[in-house]
């Protein structure tokens, strides 16, 4: 991937004047101030690159990192650089543009309460998203009721490309509902895109869980991920994910769970090539 990196950046971000493309270096693990990740993202112009001269964990104490411009975020490796929500906030929110993110982990994000929320590790809405060697793990998205999207990631894009990524141990949980409540969709990730290509990526031990704390039926979808669109998976692993819908008012109401590993929505297209899909679980009771 590193050999083709400059070419793919040009395709992703378009042709920009050389003077407009600046590399910003992260020189510390703080969440504010000169040389911090938050500060340099704020200073960057569209087409710029963020690189890290440090390894370790950046714990966010000022909320999620939010940006709305084309950026390349080039980390040293998912086992070398971690950005953590500290169990207090989401981690990364990208709005309305394209982004290339590589070589880092997004962990311990937590968001609660907003029925339209999604992606405690990564929330992306825009044109093209490229994830290369990115880990999204140990994130929680929870709500008191209604439909919520993506425990680890919520992605709504035209194109998504994922290579050597890991999405693991994320939780999506919705409680409550009245009538028939379609609750959580995508324990690991919720992906809406015209074109998705995943290569050598894994969705492991993610959980999508819906309960009703008062009268209402419950529906939970997609333990590993929920797809709305067209996707090709090559050499990917979908293992140990769980979908659980639990109804406490049976037999008046009911519980439905779908897609222990992958839940493909209506009119979606899914192609699996040399993939392993195993040990995924559906529970409805």
């Amino acid at each position: 991937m590193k050999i083709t990196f400059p070419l793919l950046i040009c395709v992703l971000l378009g042709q920009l004047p050389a003077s407009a493309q600046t590399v910003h270096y992260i020189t510390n693990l703080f969440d504010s101030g000169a040389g911090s990740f938050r500060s340099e993202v704020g200073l960057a112009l569209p087409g710029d690159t963020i690189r890290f001269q440090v390894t370790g964990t950046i714990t966010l104490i000022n909320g999620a990192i939010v940006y709305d411009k084309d950026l390349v975020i080039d980390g040293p490796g998912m086992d070398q650089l971690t950005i953590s929500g500290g169990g207090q906030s989401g981690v990364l929110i990208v709005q309305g543009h394209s982004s290339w993110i590589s070589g880092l982990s997004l962990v311990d994000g937590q968001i609660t309460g907003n029925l339209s929320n999604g992606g405690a590790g990564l929330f992306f809405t825009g044109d093209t998203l490229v994830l290369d060697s990115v880990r999204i793990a140990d994130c929680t998205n929870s709500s008191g009721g209604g439909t919520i999207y993506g425990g680890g990631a919520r992605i709504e894009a035209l194109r998504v490309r994922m290579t050597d990524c890991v999405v693991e141990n994320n939780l999506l949980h919705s409680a409550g509902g009245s009538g028939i409540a379609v609750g959580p969709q995508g324990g690991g990730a919720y992906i809406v895109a015209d074109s998705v290509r995943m290569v050598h990526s894994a969705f492991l031990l993610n959980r999508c869980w819906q309960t009703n704390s008062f009268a209402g039926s419950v529906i939970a979808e997609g333990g590993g991920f929920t797809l709305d669109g067209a996707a090709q998976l090559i050499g990917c692993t979908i293992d140990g994910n769980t979908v659980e819908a639990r109804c406490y008012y049976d037999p008046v109401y009911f519980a439905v769970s779908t897609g222990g590993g992958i839940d493909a929505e209506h009119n979606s297209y899914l192609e699996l090539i040399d993939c392993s899909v195993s040990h995924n679980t559906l529970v409805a009771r």
Side-chain angles (χ1 to χ4, degrees):
M1 293 300 298
K2 296 301 181 183
I3 294 175
T4 59
F5 190 71
L7 175 60
L8 290 175
I9 291 175
C10 290
V11 173
L12 173 64
L13 301 180
Q15 299 294 329
L16 294 173
S19 59
Q21 299 179 14
T22 300
V23 177
H24 300 257
Y25 291 98
I26 309 308
T27 58
N28 60 67
L29 299 174
F30 302 134
D31 187 36
S32 62
S36 69
F37 181 52
R38 186 182 299 274
S39 176
E40 295 305 316
V41 167
L43 292 172
L45 297 176
D48 285 357
T49 295
I50 306 291
R51 291 198 177 124
F52 297 81
Q53 294 181 328
V54 293
T55 59
T57 299
I58 299 170
T59 299
L60 305 180
I61 59 176
N62 298 300
I65 301 290
V66 182
Y67 64 89
D68 59 355
K69 49 200 168 188
D70 297 342
L71 289 182
V72 174
I73 299 178
D74 184 15
M78 68 169 71
D79 60 343
Q80 299 293 312
L81 194 286
T82 296
I83 303 173
S84 170
Q88 302 297 316
S89 71
V91 181
L92 198 61
I93 299 173
V94 184
Q95 301 171 322
H97 290 270
S98 297
S99 196
W100 177 301
I101 304 171
S102 68
L104 50 78
S105 290
L106 306 173
V107 308
D108 292 328
Q110 180 157 336
I111 51 178
T112 60
N114 183 344
L115 297 184
S116 64
N117 66 17
L122 172 64
F123 189 177
F124 177 91
T125 58
D127 183 9
T128 300
L129 175 65
V130 177
L131 301 177
D132 181 6
S133 299
V134 171
R135 177 174 176 260
I136 301 174
D138 304 320
C139 295
T140 299
N141 176 7
S142 62
S143 173
T147 304
I148 56 175
Y149 305 96
R154 178 178 178 178
I155 300 169
E156 299 182 8
L158 295 177
R159 290 169 296 276
V160 178
R161 302 292 181 261
M162 297 176 62
T163 303
D164 297 325
C165 293
V166 178
V167 180
E168 61 181 340
N169 199 38
N170 300 288
L171 172 64
L172 182 66
H173 178 224
S174 178
S178 60
I180 299 176
V182 179
Q185 299 185 48
Y190 175 81
I191 302 172
V192 179
D194 292 341
S195 172
V196 179
R197 190 171 189 265
M198 301 183 190
V199 179
H200 299 151
S201 295
F203 289 79
L204 310 171
L205 302 174
N206 300 287
R207 187 182 184 195
C208 179
W209 181 28
Q210 164 82 326
T211 58
N212 62 347
S213 56
F214 51 90
S217 299
V218 292
I219 303 174
E221 304 176 1
F225 67 92
T226 292
L227 169 71
D228 188 346
Q232 181 186 66
L233 278 62
I234 302 172
C236 294
T237 300
I238 316 295
D239 186 88
N241 303 285
T242 302
V243 175
E244 181 174 355
R246 181 175 296 185
C247 180
Y248 294 107
Y249 292 88
D250 182 71
V252 177
Y253 299 98
F254 59 85
V256 176
S257 59
T258 63
I262 305 170
D263 180 71
E265 297 290 278
H266 299 296
N267 300 316
S268 292
Y269 173 80
L270 179 63
E271 180 181 13
L272 305 179
I273 302 172
D274 296 328
C275 293
S276 172
V277 181
S278 61
H279 304 103
N280 301 290
T281 303
L282 289 174
V283 178
R285 56 189 174 186

